Amino acid sequence: MVSSLDGFIAKKDGDVSWLQSTDNYEKGITLSQEDIEKFIKTIDCYVMGSKTYEHALELGWPYGDKPVIVVTNRDLKTNKENVTFYSGNLDQLVNNQLKPKYKSIWIVGGTMLAKDFIRAALVDDIIISIMPIILGDGILFFDYIQQEYRLHLKDMTAYKDGMVELWYEMKKQ
């Protein structure tokens, strides 16, 4: 997930144009296309909510041919062979359908979906990238999650554009 410093993942109208930073942090690293491609190869499948799915279609579908499971209660259609829709128990989805097939399951976007997965203890790691901006208002990433969770910092990376990536492991409660 990418958020502003004050914890917003989008403006109230869904705008995410602020994700492009013009900052210049001299000690930061540059993320190359090769780095991105290497990382994407480690992902076996994606799970996303319906709004993220619709937004991804608008952006030109950055998920390629990897399996994508869209969690939704809406009756959505797709022309993509790698996309399936799911409505039901998340524990059953992850433990009965996904874990037997995939090692690296990536939850993409969406505050509701992320919170549901965290509350159901179905998240091993949280990787959040903080952009160098304070939005002041918008859609919060972790609004009212209603439970305390302890995390362990596994890694962090500062980038030339001022973005800071924090990689946390969820501690078992």
Side-chain angles (χ1 to χ4, degrees):
M1 183 65 77
V2 179
S3 85
S4 62
L5 181 61
D6 52 349
F8 295 104
I9 62 166
K11 292 183 178 182
K12 279 195 174 195
D13 64 0
D15 177 58
V16 292
S17 60
W18 54 271
L19 290 174
Q20 299 299 319
S21 173
T22 58
D23 194 23
N24 185 19
Y25 176 59
E26 291 185 22
K27 296 180 193 175
I29 65 167
T30 300
L31 191 60
S32 71
Q33 189 61 34
E34 183 180 310
D35 294 332
I36 294 168
E37 290 170 9
K38 182 179 174 185
F39 174 74
I40 288 173
K41 285 181 183 177
T42 68
I43 299 170
D44 297 325
C45 80
Y46 297 98
V47 177
M48 64 183 65
S50 60
K51 290 180 184 175
T52 301
Y53 167 71
E54 290 170 330
H55 190 64
L57 289 173
E58 291 171 6
L59 293 175
W61 195 250
Y63 302 104
D65 294 330
K66 293 228 178 158
V68 174
I69 295 82
V70 179
V71 178
T72 183
N73 290 318
R74 297 191 290 147
D75 185 24
L76 298 174
K77 306 288 185 222
T78 188
N79 62 354
K80 301 196 171 296
E81 292 182 21
N82 61 317
V83 173
T84 57
F85 299 103
Y86 180 83
S87 176
N89 183 287
L90 294 180
D91 187 77
Q92 290 178 0
L93 170 67
V94 171
N95 291 311
N96 297 347
Q97 295 180 35
L98 300 181
K99 276 189 175 180
K101 292 185 206 176
Y102 308 113
K103 181 179 178 189
S104 178
I105 303 163
W106 196 260
I107 309 301
V108 182
T111 62
M112 297 301 290
L113 190 65
K115 288 189 295 189
D116 288 345
F117 270 83
I118 291 169
R119 286 183 190 132
L122 296 171
V123 174
D124 297 321
D125 295 326
I126 294 175
I127 300 174
I128 186 162
S129 298
I130 310 296
M131 294 303 292
I133 188 169
I134 295 173
L135 291 178
D137 197 7
I139 301 169
L140 283 169
F141 182 27
F142 288 122
D143 65 328
Y144 312 106
I145 200 159
Q146 301 169 337
Q147 188 172 338
E148 181 178 300
Y149 294 91
R150 299 267 175 195
L151 307 173
H152 166 71
L153 182 65
K154 288 174 74 170
D155 202 359
M156 63 181 171
T157 307
Y159 294 94
K160 286 258 186 226
D161 67 357
M163 179 178 77
V164 178
E165 180 183 89
L166 303 170
W167 182 355
Y168 290 102
E169 177 181 21
M170 296 287 293
K171 287 190 164 191
K172 302 302 175 200
Q173 303 292 332

